[in-house]
Amino acid sequence: MLQVMPKKVLIVEDNELNMKLFNDLLEAHGYETLQTKDGFKALELAREHTPDLILMDIQLPEVSGLEVTKWLKDDESLSAIPVVAVTAFAMKGDEERIREGGCEAYLSKPITVTTFIETVRQFLD
Amino acid sequence: MIARRGGVLVNLVWLGTLGAAAPQIWPFLNGPDWMRVLGLLAVAAPALIGFVLMPRMDRPFERFALAIVWTGFASVVAILGGGITGIGVLAFLLAPAVAAAGGERDGVVKGAALSGFAAVTIAILQAGGFIQPAPMAVEIYLPFVTGCALMMAAGFGLGALRAMREGDRVREEAERGRIRVRAFDAAPVALLACDQDGNMLAASQGLRELSPGLPRDLTGLPVADLGFGDDDRADLASAARRAAIRPLSQGLTLRGDRGREEDVRLNARPMHGGSVAILSHDAGPALENRVREAEAARELAEEESRAKSQFLASVSHELRTPLNAIVGFSDVMKARLFGPLPARYAEYADLIHESGQHLMELIGDVLDMSKIEADRYELVLERFDIDEAVGLAVKMMRLQAEESGITLSVKRNDTPVPVKGDRKALRQILLNLLSNAVKFTPKGGAIVVMARPSGGQLVLAVGDSGVGIDPEDARRLGQPYSQASNARDIEKRGTGLGLSLVRALAELHGGQMNIASSKGVGTTVTVSLPILDKGETQVEPLAGGETVSAELDVRGQIERAQAASENISKAQSGAA
């Protein structure tokens, strides 16, 4: 059997429960995860590990997830990594704002297991 | 005019008497005929001159000239006819009589003074022996006395009559003056009359209301006393002086009640010897204040609205974050992602998940309603086929309906019906109506959805064979935060926002919502929206009949659907 390197997903999320939820869901589907609740740390981790996908919470304590996404997209070595925004900003116009910010996809909280996994697979399989 | 008529009359009296007495006088006059005629003319002369002067009798000089003429005539008569002690002295009364006929009081006085002076002069001359008048001849004695008497009767009679009428006129004038004074005083505005030096002459009661605490008698007080500060005092004084020359309008500040300032507008115009002004409350500054206040209130409201919106956004975020964990983890359990669960726990996980989903919907409703109420809900208009939207909503609700044993059917249109509206809002309308219908329809019931163009509008109708609503409750439904009380199953309570949201979203589109319901038979909610996309805007008013026909259609459909489902269940139980 051919051993395939598991895909790495960087989760940027400041809520511990949600972090655990995403982590468990991803691990259950055979993905490896990297975790941080800090936007600056996210950039470092991305440079260091080059993940295959980044799940980005938009409302982070220090710096907005949109801002971090912008830095990622401005960095040539990182701009190819797809960013999926996961946010509770579910007001009208939020989705457009997030897509304009450079995110490839958008998941609104609360997530459902099915759409979450479908969205992740879309970028990793 | 009257003076002239009086003059004509006295002159005619004199000439008439002379004419009547002429035959008697004629033989008495000596000399040739022309001398006699000349004599008669001399006697007639004052009256004839009176006729000449009459057109100008309104001028003092002419009146004086006439008095001179009669006095002169009287003097001649007195000298020739018996002196100051003789009967000729009667002629001195003719000048005042003529003046009295002319209605001139001062003329009478002047005539009398003139005649008196002449009479005294003649008396002195007579006493000094400078003149020796002959007694008046018997032949002319009677005509002379008659003429004088008639002249005096006519002159003084007319004069007395005129004086009486003059008195009436003066009284009337005085009465009118008093009325004017009372009217000025009682005028329902603040009136003020000043002389040209700015001293008050009269004021209406209205002025006291405008500036209470003024002294009782304002007459002679400087108008500046009404002013509030030194500048206002100076303004008032200068306004009064200027208004005596030309009309003016300006704003001023008066001493108002209890030392308050009173902004007034002064409109003044000149009158004889000064000016008269009307003072009114000046709406200008008050209005500006009100505009400023309204502006401030609006800014505050906008600020509050922004804050509210911001607050809603953060509440939304805060609520969804923990909900994500609840719904997410329970969803993981529901999906048995990490293997099977003991039966009870599996059920609990499902219940947690379901409740979480419900909570999420409620939060969405509350937020949407708040946004609509804060006027911050913005419609995003798109073109789409309404059947597609209906199909999508039905698809989302079908499972839930089937689980509750309810037949959910759609009455589709034969051709696509393009609409231009907010896709999300329409989906929300449909989902809310469908979810209500499912909630309140018992097992074995039917729900029919229909969206069709009618009367230039799109009519959405969702009918059910549910418990129905009391007419009283139906009226309350659609008002935010109220819920039908009795018909609702306690298990199936909501926020009462579902229908309110439907109504609000319909109204945002310029449409309306109607509820038709009868207890135990079912409910049909119709929403008419002017959103048909016909390439051009063309909105015809919706006739009341259109919604009714949509309701009837839906009800018919429900009956058929119900009959069908009953048949099916009968067949099934028969088969079993």
mmCIF file of all heavy atoms in Angstrom, chain A residues 78-96:
data_model
loop_
_atom_site.group_PDB
_atom_site.id
_atom_site.type_symbol
_atom_site.label_atom_id
_atom_site.label_comp_id
_atom_site.label_asym_id
_atom_site.label_seq_id
_atom_site.Cartn_x
_atom_site.Cartn_y
_atom_site.Cartn_z
ATOM 1 N N LEU A 78 3.759 32.050 -0.427
ATOM 2 C CA LEU A 78 2.595 31.564 0.307
ATOM 3 C C LEU A 78 1.268 31.784 -0.423
ATOM 4 O O LEU A 78 0.253 31.182 -0.068
ATOM 5 C CB LEU A 78 2.501 32.254 1.679
ATOM 6 C CG LEU A 78 3.724 32.122 2.596
ATOM 7 C CD1 LEU A 78 3.542 33.002 3.821
ATOM 8 C CD2 LEU A 78 3.952 30.673 2.999
ATOM 9 N N SER A 79 1.272 32.631 -1.431
ATOM 10 C CA SER A 79 -0.001 33.051 -2.034
ATOM 11 C C SER A 79 -0.772 31.900 -2.660
ATOM 12 O O SER A 79 -1.992 31.995 -2.872
ATOM 13 C CB SER A 79 0.246 34.153 -3.066
ATOM 14 O OG SER A 79 1.026 33.640 -4.123
ATOM 15 N N ALA A 80 -0.077 30.801 -2.964
ATOM 16 C CA ALA A 80 -0.762 29.678 -3.601
ATOM 17 C C ALA A 80 -1.584 28.853 -2.599
ATOM 18 O O ALA A 80 -2.459 28.085 -2.997
ATOM 19 C CB ALA A 80 0.261 28.774 -4.290
ATOM 20 N N ILE A 81 -1.326 29.022 -1.300
ATOM 21 C CA ILE A 81 -2.057 28.235 -0.301
ATOM 22 C C ILE A 81 -3.486 28.740 -0.206
ATOM 23 O O ILE A 81 -3.725 29.926 0.049
ATOM 24 C CB ILE A 81 -1.393 28.364 1.092
ATOM 25 C CG1 ILE A 81 0.088 28.005 1.017
ATOM 26 C CG2 ILE A 81 -2.117 27.492 2.109
ATOM 27 C CD1 ILE A 81 0.852 28.266 2.304
ATOM 28 N N PRO A 82 -4.473 27.869 -0.442
ATOM 29 C CA PRO A 82 -5.865 28.326 -0.342
ATOM 30 C C PRO A 82 -6.221 28.686 1.098
ATOM 31 O O PRO A 82 -5.782 28.020 2.028
ATOM 32 C CB PRO A 82 -6.690 27.141 -0.847
ATOM 33 C CG PRO A 82 -5.796 25.966 -0.808
ATOM 34 C CD PRO A 82 -4.388 26.446 -0.865
ATOM 35 N N VAL A 83 -7.002 29.760 1.246
ATOM 36 C CA VAL A 83 -7.445 30.185 2.563
ATOM 37 C C VAL A 83 -8.963 30.075 2.613
ATOM 38 O O VAL A 83 -9.665 30.622 1.767
ATOM 39 C CB VAL A 83 -7.019 31.644 2.846
ATOM 40 C CG1 VAL A 83 -7.542 32.108 4.210
ATOM 41 C CG2 VAL A 83 -5.502 31.785 2.781
ATOM 42 N N VAL A 84 -9.483 29.320 3.590
ATOM 43 C CA VAL A 84 -10.927 29.217 3.786
ATOM 44 C C VAL A 84 -11.284 30.007 5.046
ATOM 45 O O VAL A 84 -10.787 29.698 6.126
ATOM 46 C CB VAL A 84 -11.375 27.747 3.942
ATOM 47 C CG1 VAL A 84 -12.873 27.677 4.270
ATOM 48 C CG2 VAL A 84 -11.073 26.952 2.676
ATOM 49 N N ALA A 85 -12.086 31.030 4.859
ATOM 50 C CA ALA A 85 -12.492 31.841 6.013
ATOM 51 C C ALA A 85 -13.587 31.121 6.778
ATOM 52 O O ALA A 85 -14.520 30.595 6.191
ATOM 53 C CB ALA A 85 -13.001 33.195 5.549
ATOM 54 N N VAL A 86 -13.437 31.061 8.084
ATOM 55 C CA VAL A 86 -14.483 30.485 8.937
ATOM 56 C C VAL A 86 -14.859 31.593 9.918
ATOM 57 O O VAL A 86 -14.018 32.070 10.664
ATOM 58 C CB VAL A 86 -13.975 29.268 9.731
ATOM 59 C CG1 VAL A 86 -15.141 28.602 10.456
ATOM 60 C CG2 VAL A 86 -13.281 28.286 8.812
ATOM 61 N N THR A 87 -16.086 32.021 9.823
ATOM 62 C CA THR A 87 -16.422 33.181 10.659
ATOM 63 C C THR A 87 -17.865 33.196 11.107
ATOM 64 O O THR A 87 -18.733 32.617 10.475
ATOM 65 C CB THR A 87 -16.120 34.485 9.904
ATOM 66 O OG1 THR A 87 -16.568 35.581 10.696
ATOM 67 C CG2 THR A 87 -16.840 34.525 8.587
ATOM 68 N N ALA A 88 -18.067 33.851 12.215
ATOM 69 C CA ALA A 88 -19.428 34.035 12.698
ATOM 70 C C ALA A 88 -20.002 35.360 12.207
ATOM 71 O O ALA A 88 -21.095 35.731 12.567
ATOM 72 C CB ALA A 88 -19.449 33.997 14.216
ATOM 73 N N PHE A 89 -19.221 36.069 11.409
ATOM 74 C CA PHE A 89 -19.737 37.298 10.806
ATOM 75 C C PHE A 89 -20.737 36.941 9.740
ATOM 76 O O PHE A 89 -20.429 36.917 8.565
ATOM 77 C CB PHE A 89 -18.613 38.103 10.142
ATOM 78 C CG PHE A 89 -17.880 38.994 11.088
ATOM 79 C CD1 PHE A 89 -16.537 38.791 11.340
ATOM 80 C CD2 PHE A 89 -18.546 40.028 11.719
ATOM 81 C CE1 PHE A 89 -15.860 39.620 12.208
ATOM 82 C CE2 PHE A 89 -17.860 40.853 12.590
ATOM 83 C CZ PHE A 89 -16.514 40.650 12.839
ATOM 84 N N ALA A 90 -21.949 36.659 10.142
ATOM 85 C CA ALA A 90 -22.887 36.180 9.121
ATOM 86 C C ALA A 90 -23.880 37.261 8.729
ATOM 87 O O ALA A 90 -24.997 36.989 8.390
ATOM 88 C CB ALA A 90 -23.611 34.953 9.625
ATOM 89 N N MET A 91 -23.479 38.504 8.848
ATOM 90 C CA MET A 91 -24.371 39.570 8.435
ATOM 91 C C MET A 91 -24.278 39.733 6.928
ATOM 92 O O MET A 91 -23.322 39.271 6.287
ATOM 93 C CB MET A 91 -23.983 40.896 9.114
ATOM 94 C CG MET A 91 -23.828 40.811 10.603
ATOM 95 S SD MET A 91 -25.386 40.716 11.488
ATOM 96 C CE MET A 91 -25.744 42.445 11.701
ATOM 97 N N LYS A 92 -25.292 40.441 6.405
ATOM 98 C CA LYS A 92 -25.350 40.646 4.952
ATOM 99 C C LYS A 92 -24.099 41.386 4.475
ATOM 100 O O LYS A 92 -23.643 42.321 5.104
ATOM 101 C CB LYS A 92 -26.589 41.469 4.614
ATOM 102 C CG LYS A 92 -26.776 41.656 3.138
ATOM 103 C CD LYS A 92 -28.199 42.001 2.807
ATOM 104 C CE LYS A 92 -28.961 40.730 2.538
ATOM 105 N NZ LYS A 92 -30.348 40.913 2.377
ATOM 106 N N GLY A 93 -23.516 40.923 3.374
ATOM 107 C CA GLY A 93 -22.354 41.615 2.829
ATOM 108 C C GLY A 93 -21.035 41.085 3.365
ATOM 109 O O GLY A 93 -19.986 41.406 2.840
ATOM 110 N N ASP A 94 -21.112 40.252 4.418
ATOM 111 C CA ASP A 94 -19.866 39.736 4.999
ATOM 112 C C ASP A 94 -19.136 38.825 4.027
ATOM 113 O O ASP A 94 -17.920 38.886 3.884
ATOM 114 C CB ASP A 94 -20.148 38.976 6.294
ATOM 115 C CG ASP A 94 -20.565 39.917 7.411
ATOM 116 O OD1 ASP A 94 -20.269 41.128 7.282
ATOM 117 O OD2 ASP A 94 -21.174 39.447 8.380
ATOM 118 N N GLU A 95 -19.908 37.977 3.365
ATOM 119 C CA GLU A 95 -19.293 37.001 2.460
ATOM 120 C C GLU A 95 -18.519 37.717 1.349
ATOM 121 O O GLU A 95 -17.367 37.361 1.059
ATOM 122 C CB GLU A 95 -20.364 36.086 1.865
ATOM 123 C CG GLU A 95 -19.740 34.976 1.044
ATOM 124 C CD GLU A 95 -20.727 33.894 0.620
ATOM 125 O OE1 GLU A 95 -21.831 33.864 1.186
ATOM 126 O OE2 GLU A 95 -20.360 33.111 -0.265
ATOM 127 N N GLU A 96 -19.142 38.753 0.770
ATOM 128 C CA GLU A 96 -18.476 39.492 -0.311
ATOM 129 C C GLU A 96 -17.171 40.113 0.198
ATOM 130 O O GLU A 96 -16.142 40.053 -0.465
ATOM 131 C CB GLU A 96 -19.377 40.610 -0.845
ATOM 132 C CG GLU A 96 -20.640 40.137 -1.543
ATOM 133 C CD GLU A 96 -21.779 39.864 -0.577
ATOM 134 O OE1 GLU A 96 -22.313 40.825 -0.034
ATOM 135 O OE2 GLU A 96 -22.111 38.679 -0.343
#
